Amino acid sequence: MGSWLSKQLELTSAHFTYLILSLFLLFYAFFSSSIRNRLHLSEPPLATLVGIAAGPAALDVVNPESWHWQDTVTQEAARVIVSLQVFSVGLELPKGYFGRHWRSVGMMLVPVMTFSWLVTAGFVYALMGTRWSTALVVSACLAPTDPVLAAAVLQGGTFSGRVPRRLRHMLSAESGCNDGTSFPFLYAGLLIVLRTSTGEIIRAWLLATILWQCTLGLLAGLVLGRLSNRALRLAERRDWIDPSSFLAFYLLLALFSVGIGSTLGLDDFLVAFGAGSAFASDGWFANKTKEAALSNILELILNSSMFVYFGAIIPWKQFVPRDITPTITPGKLIALLVLVLLFRRIPIVLLLKRFIPDIRTYREALFCGHFGPMGLGGLFLAIEARAQLETGESIPLPRPPKNHPLKQEIEQVWPIVCFVLLGSTFVHGCSVAVISVTGHYMRDKGERAPLLAGEIEGLDAMVHEGGGGESEPSVSGDEDVSVASST
């Protein structure tokens, strides 16, 4: 009987993955309201925990290595999921958002991101003993705000309603843009590593990165989104498209934008974000699908699955000294994580608060400086960096080469980036719970909610408008309940 049963069972890593992943998603879906609104936890840290527990570091029942997957699988999975998320961000921003808030978003993208890049590079250089050019490459992977983690914190749940709308929109817009705008930072470091002539570095950076990848990528996305909007309006007006296909058009257009960007060698994320922004710029599609909650469905299935995968591929053995990377130690990685979390964004946002119109108090500046999570976008950029270092192209080798002139640089990027991404996933993913519980106990006993961290009022020391606040109703914080504000 036992031998017969053993022949019927197919206990493979892939099959266990289907079982564990679906079980986690079912459990989360079943208790999603309680997890989000009472425990104040989001999917990414929980999904990462599941991946760690089921992966090679613990139970070893979900082991992507046993599937013989190559680095290209991680690269393409991260590319698609981050592109879908930035497309979704562009789709969900209020009508005409950038026309009214370009200054705030621009400040977050240029001076704040540049500061983040250089400061993080300094920490990597000082602690990890890398070359300065390698530190610039690593820090570029950690400079952008991850749209997946940002969406998990800023969209849905009672906590998001406690944050002024203008801040939520600004941080969402920043997270949608800056995965794409990280390419100039990444390729600046890569070109310094790979090229010797200063003139050649500047020429390649301006022509290939700025003009081709970024500028043309954004323009291609904007044109694609606008034309698709017109085409879909025509199809609906003439009754060519049925309701289910109308909803699917959103996902198909997002995937098409990824295809265009990756095939032409453009900045995929800027193509996707530009397409989503232009497609929804008039608010027509958002009004048609406002009850569908398309982004929430994507977030639950695709994003959570990717974080489970991330938890299973974390390179634990590379977090200790090796012959090729003797300066990478657990203590230095922890110190780097703490320094990055404290100084990557918070000081510069506080310093520039007066120049960012959507940030009105220093508490708001502290909040925006803290909520710059690093996640799946950094994972994609790390693989992109390794591919360029290995082959000079964007397609990585199946595995890092054993003999290569840049062997040390290649081996340094992955563990440093993965460790900081892991720490950010848990710190930022659990920050809502910490803020909610701390705020609960800071109130007088008579003012506390009956349930622990059950407050629904706007966060203290932030400006919550009550109408006529900015531009137009229900766009930039106008529906927020007015509460006490202070600077």
Side-chain angles (χ1 to χ4, degrees), residues 369-441:
H370 171 69
F371 272 103
M374 299 157 280
L376 300 184
L379 202 66
F380 171 83
L381 294 172
I383 296 289
E384 179 84 5
R386 273 177 37 177
Q388 290 288 340
L389 293 172
E390 292 167 356
T391 66
E393 300 177 354
S394 294
I395 301 175
L397 297 174
R399 292 287 184 271
K402 293 183 178 180
N403 298 304
H404 194 283
L406 298 174
K407 174 68 174 176
Q408 187 174 52
E409 287 80 357
I410 293 170
E411 293 288 347
Q412 287 172 331
V413 171
W414 186 246
I416 297 174
V417 171
C418 282
F419 188 88
V420 177
L421 297 187
L422 176 65
S424 176
T425 299
F426 285 107
V427 170
H428 290 105
C430 298
S431 290
V432 171
V434 173
I435 293 173
S436 299
V437 172
T438 303
H440 177 84
Y441 283 110

Side-chain angles (χ1 to χ4, degrees), residues 94-289:
K95 176 181 176 181
Y97 178 80
F98 285 99
R100 299 185 306 277
H101 300 274
W102 62 269
R103 184 178 172 186
S104 293
V105 177
M107 292 296 293
M108 300 299 289
L109 289 178
V110 181
V112 170
M113 196 169 176
T114 302
F115 177 89
S116 301
W117 177 51
L118 294 175
V119 165
T120 303
F123 293 146
V124 173
Y125 177 75
L127 286 172
M128 297 301 161
T130 67
R131 295 166 56 191
W132 177 247
S133 55
T134 306
L136 289 174
V137 171
V138 172
S139 65
C141 300
L142 303 175
T145 300
D146 187 70
V148 177
L149 275 166
V153 172
L154 299 172
Q155 296 178 9
T158 55
F159 180 83
S160 64
R162 303 183 65 194
V163 180
R165 278 170 149 256
R166 61 191 153 74
L167 297 185
R168 300 203 309 268
H169 291 152
M170 184 189 71
L171 292 173
S172 293
E174 181 203 2
S175 70
C177 293
N178 66 10
D179 275 292
T181 54
S182 63
F183 272 61
F185 300 108
L186 177 66
Y187 276 87
L190 287 171
L191 288 169
I192 294 173
V193 175
L194 299 172
R195 307 291 175 92
T196 55
S197 167
T198 302
E200 187 181 0
I201 290 171
I202 295 174
R203 183 170 57 253
W205 187 74
L206 289 175
L207 293 178
T209 304
I210 300 298
L211 292 179
W212 181 263
Q213 291 184 328
C214 296
T215 305
L216 185 59
L218 181 59
L219 289 175
L222 293 172
V223 171
L224 173 64
R226 194 60 182 166
L227 291 178
S228 299
N229 178 287
R230 297 290 184 181
L232 187 60
R233 279 175 172 271
L234 177 64
E236 191 212 26
R237 188 165 59 248
R238 299 194 177 182
D239 203 25
W240 293 344
I241 188 168
D242 60 35
S244 59
S245 298
F246 187 90
L247 291 176
F249 192 87
Y250 151 78
L251 177 60
L252 298 175
L253 179 59
L255 291 173
F256 185 60
S257 68
V258 176
I260 287 179
S262 56
T263 302
L264 297 180
L266 304 176
D267 186 330
D268 314 77
F269 303 145
L270 282 181
V271 175
F273 181 73
S277 299
F279 181 66
S281 61
D282 57 3
W284 172 74
F285 185 79
N287 288 332
K288 289 281 186 179
T289 60

Side-chain angles (χ1 to χ4, degrees), residues 17 20-21 24 43-64 304-314 316 422 426:
T17 301
I20 292 172
L21 180 59
F24 164 70
E43 301 95 315
L46 299 177
T48 304
L49 270 180
V50 171
I52 293 172
L59 299 177
D60 198 21
V61 293
V62 176
N63 187 354
S304 297
S305 299
M306 190 63 192
F307 274 99
V308 171
Y309 175 73
F310 172 58
I313 65 169
I314 292 171
W316 300 101
L422 176 65
F426 285 107

